[in-house]
Amino acid sequence: MFARRIVVVGTGYVGLTTGACLASLGHRVVCSDVNATKVEQLSRGEVRIHEPGLTELVQEGIAAGRLEFVVGSAGAVAEAEVVFLCVPTPMGAGGEADLAVVEAVAHEVRELLPAGCVLVTKSTVPVGTSARLRELVGREDVPVVSNPEFLREGSAVHDFLNPDRIVVGSDSQDAAERVAALYARLGAPTVLTDAASAEMVKYAANCFLATKLSYVNAIAELCERLGADISDVTEGMGYDRRIGQSFLQPGPGWGGSCLPKDTAALLQVAGAVDFDFPLLQATISSNARQRERMVAKVVEACGGSLDGVRLGLLGLTFKAGTDDLRDSPALEVARLLAARGAELVAYDPGLRGDEAALPPEVELVDDPYQAAKEAAVLVLLTEWQEFRALDWNRVAEALQGPVVVDTRNHLDPDVLRRAGLSWRGVGRTPVAGGPA
């Protein structure tokens, strides 16, 4: 494998992981960002993203001379063989993906790219974006390639270096093969296709996962009404190889930086070609309803009203192992609880307390026992592993009321019962507190 000169534009989750991992594969990588303070921190090997293994890879890349960070993309691309666009594509008006940053970067670098350089979209972009970028760049000697990422926050480094598949799409076969060759050492199955199909793969995959999660949440509610146990049901389902065991855990709804915006964007794409997509619309509507359903569980546990009721919250990030609050179902449930008059005290091991997304209605404390102190009900919203290992006798002493609402089915009901606490989960029969 030949080492390539690569520029990665953007140093968020995707960009920084992409740059550090490509450097670890032997390529020479320059990561650019518009935030000068961030570039200075990264140049010192300081990574502020909560992502296992990422700090080590960044520091190793810098030490080996294969990874560097610069301000702005214009100067960096002059000698690049491949340029990855890893910039934000947030949800815009009506759910449509906002490509303003992607297009701005393409416009900025189009005259600076050397002949033969490949421009790669790594960010999640709507079908047809590669074609739009080709027109915007307006150069026959600069091919555009779609190479979508499939990284999960909290395991992004592992996912990059151990991929299920590599998807590369372009109308230029040579350009697609050059990008695919960057990953040759990983030995992953590679799908070489046209640009539109590669762009569609990412949306189709994420929207399928969202549908699977909404489906299992609906089955969990049905289990509650029929007296079945969702844990046993999903175990029985998961052994079917056509279904698999992943994404079968019920919870307060799906969220994060990808699924909400990708489902909304695919609906917009479908609408643009006059395609009605009721299945995907139902997936989104069901997810919104799931958050309200978690609130209803807490209201019931509090006797019918939350007005002035103190609640302890365990977890606010959208998933354990991250510090990400973007479209967090936990945070949305917290907002809904506050809107009903609850006083909220929360603990999350991934948060520092200075996150701009934290609503003023939530008081963030330094440990879970403070969150439990004098709370009428304790509500688990994010599945941090350390919550299973809490001293539940100490939690019971701190609580004003004896009820724990576990929206992730994360805790052991028997452990809580022995501590005198009642456990209420999702899709399972409640367990009353009492002696063994």
Side-chain angles (χ1 to χ4, degrees):
M1 183 195 75
F2 293 102
R4 298 295 186 186
R5 297 189 302 275
I6 298 170
V7 171
V8 176
V9 182
T11 59
Y13 274 99
V14 174
L16 188 57
T17 301
T18 297
C21 288
L22 286 173
S24 77
L25 296 178
H27 303 293
R28 183 181 180 279
V29 182
V30 177
C31 293
S32 73
D33 201 283
V34 295
N35 187 325
T37 300
K38 188 177 185 181
V39 168
E40 290 176 6
Q41 292 169 344
L42 290 171
S43 297
R44 296 192 297 266
E46 299 174 10
V47 177
R48 299 300 177 94
I49 295 174
H50 190 101
E51 194 64 54
L54 186 55
T55 298
E56 293 80 0
L57 272 191
V58 168
Q59 293 174 349
E60 290 168 8
I62 294 171
R66 292 193 301 269
L67 181 63
E68 64 177 299
F69 299 89
V70 300
V71 178
S73 54
V77 302
E79 297 182 356
E81 295 177 74
V82 183
V83 174
F84 283 89
L85 301 183
C86 300
V87 296
T89 55
M91 189 187 306
E96 183 179 6
D98 185 348
L99 298 179
V101 179
V102 172
E103 294 179 351
V105 173
H107 186 273
E108 178 185 7
V109 303
R110 63 182 179 180
E111 300 298 334
L112 304 172
L113 297 170
C117 179
V118 181
L119 186 63
V120 184
T121 56
K122 197 73 170 171
S123 305
T124 302
V125 294
V127 178
T129 300
S130 291
R132 290 174 61 185
L133 287 179
R134 282 200 308 272
E135 294 178 1
L136 179 61
V137 173
R139 290 178 55 181
E140 293 294 329
D141 60 347
V142 176
V144 177
V145 170
S146 173
N147 175 217
E149 53 84 15
F150 301 97
L151 307 178
R152 298 167 297 168
E153 289 187 36
S155 59
V157 170
H158 177 273
D159 291 346
F160 191 102
L161 298 177
N162 302 273
D164 295 322
R165 76 289 202 194
I166 304 293
V167 177
V168 183
S170 179
D171 294 341
S172 167
Q173 181 75 11
D174 175 69
E177 291 176 354
R178 285 167 60 193
V179 172
L182 299 176
Y183 305 96
R185 286 181 55 185
L186 301 179
T190 300
V191 178
L192 291 178
T193 183
D194 59 273
S197 297
E199 291 164 345
M200 188 64 176
V201 167
K202 179 59 183 292
Y203 281 105
N206 274 1
C207 291
F208 179 82
L209 295 176
T211 300
K212 193 174 182 182
L213 287 169
S214 285
Y215 177 80
V216 78
N217 281 334
I219 292 296
E221 182 175 359
L222 194 57
C223 284
E224 291 178 9
R225 299 189 183 197
L226 298 176
D229 189 310
I230 188 62
S231 297
D232 294 339
V233 171
T234 53
E235 181 182 7
M237 292 171 60
Y239 285 119
D240 188 326
R241 286 173 292 183
R242 298 168 301 174
I243 298 173
Q245 299 194 16
S246 64
F247 284 76
L248 285 182
Q249 293 74 39
W254 40 266
S257 62
C258 294
L259 297 189
K261 74 180 183 68
D262 290 354
T263 49
L266 189 57
L267 270 186
Q268 288 292 318
V269 169
V273 293
D274 199 27
F275 176 72
D276 190 25
F277 208 153
L279 176 61
L280 186 55
Q281 183 61 67
T283 293
I284 297 170
S285 299
S286 177
N287 191 53
R289 181 176 180 277
Q290 186 69 3
R291 300 174 185 191
E292 292 283 359
R293 205 166 83 79
M294 297 303 101
V295 173
K297 285 180 174 292
V298 178
V299 171
E300 181 183 10
C302 292
S305 174
L306 295 181
D307 193 25
V309 174
R310 181 184 177 92
L311 299 175
L313 307 182
L314 296 180
L316 291 172
T317 54
F318 94 95
K319 66 181 287 190
T322 80
D323 57 357
D324 200 345
L325 293 169
R326 288 177 292 179
D327 275 302
S328 168
L331 198 61
E332 180 59 24
V333 170
R335 290 192 180 101
L336 292 172
L337 293 171
R340 285 168 169 77
E343 299 176 4
L344 306 178
V345 182
Y347 168 74
D348 190 298
L351 300 179
R352 301 179 301 274
D354 59 354
E355 290 80 5
L358 281 173
E361 302 89 351
V362 179
E363 177 189 351
L364 195 69
V365 293
D366 294 333
D367 73 70
Y369 304 103
Q370 285 182 270
K373 186 177 180 180
E374 297 181 357
V377 171
L378 189 64
V379 186
L380 186 143
L381 293 170
T382 309
E383 72 285 14
W384 287 92
Q385 198 60 33
E386 70 179 66
F387 294 155
R388 292 180 59 89
L390 293 178
D391 181 342
W392 286 98
N393 288 307
R394 182 180 172 187
V395 172
E397 292 174 0
L399 285 170
Q400 185 183 83
V403 180
V404 175
V405 176
D406 182 357
T407 71
R408 300 277 186 172
N409 290 350
H410 181 61
L411 305 173
D412 186 335
D414 287 334
V415 170
L416 271 65
R417 176 180 57 81
R418 289 194 293 270
L421 295 169
S422 295
W423 175 90
R424 302 187 186 189
V426 180
R428 300 182 65 186
T429 302
V431 175

